[in-house]
Amino acid sequence: MVHEPRARLVASAQARQFGVRDKLFDLLDETALQPPQIKQLCAMLFGESALPEPEVDAKAFVEAVKDLADKAPRVHDVRSGELESWVRAKALKRAVAKKNSGGGCAIM
């Protein structure tokens, strides 16, 4: 899940427990991700490598991720107790926009 200001990916800890060894998952707890890292994470989550470059066209990137998230099964959001999308488009848009303007947000 993407949240502001320190976004959370609900399953990041479980992913590591189940053997995901990509360094990107370690970074989720350590630092705010940069747009290329956000793209890499979304590509891994949804199995889609042909995403637009967030630094070049943030709007197209957010729309592409939103479309993929809408098609994916929902995940349990520990904050609301509800089934939610993997990514919240508004928070993703803010994260990419802030990165492109020098601000900060993390996907965790």
Side-chain angles (χ1 to χ4, degrees):
M1 306 278 317
V2 175
H3 297 278
E4 286 277 353
R6 300 263 317 153
R8 298 237 179 253
L9 176 62
V10 174
S12 66
Q14 287 106 353
R16 282 183 295 214
Q17 289 174 346
F18 286 104
V20 174
R21 298 288 178 235
D22 194 290
K23 177 65 176 160
L24 186 59
F25 282 87
D26 293 333
L27 292 176
L28 292 172
D29 295 332
E30 298 170 4
T31 187
L33 298 180
Q34 297 299 313
Q37 294 167 318
I38 294 171
K39 178 184 174 184
Q40 182 183 0
L41 177 63
C42 291
M44 284 192 296
L45 285 174
F46 301 115
E48 176 62 53
S49 60
L51 291 170
E53 293 297 330
E55 307 96 328
V56 175
D57 191 347
K59 183 177 179 180
F61 173 74
V62 170
E63 285 300 316
V65 171
K66 183 182 179 306
D67 289 344
L68 291 170
D70 288 345
K71 295 174 188 171
R74 301 291 180 233
V75 294
H76 181 258
D77 181 347
V78 296
R79 291 179 179 193
S80 69
E82 303 290 327
L83 291 178
E84 301 283 346
S85 174
W86 274 95
V87 176
R88 293 188 178 165
K90 286 176 78 172
L92 180 62
K93 182 178 178 179
R94 285 191 302 264
V96 173
K98 286 181 180 180
K99 290 299 180 190
N100 288 336
S101 65
C105 177
I107 296 181
M108 298 206 301

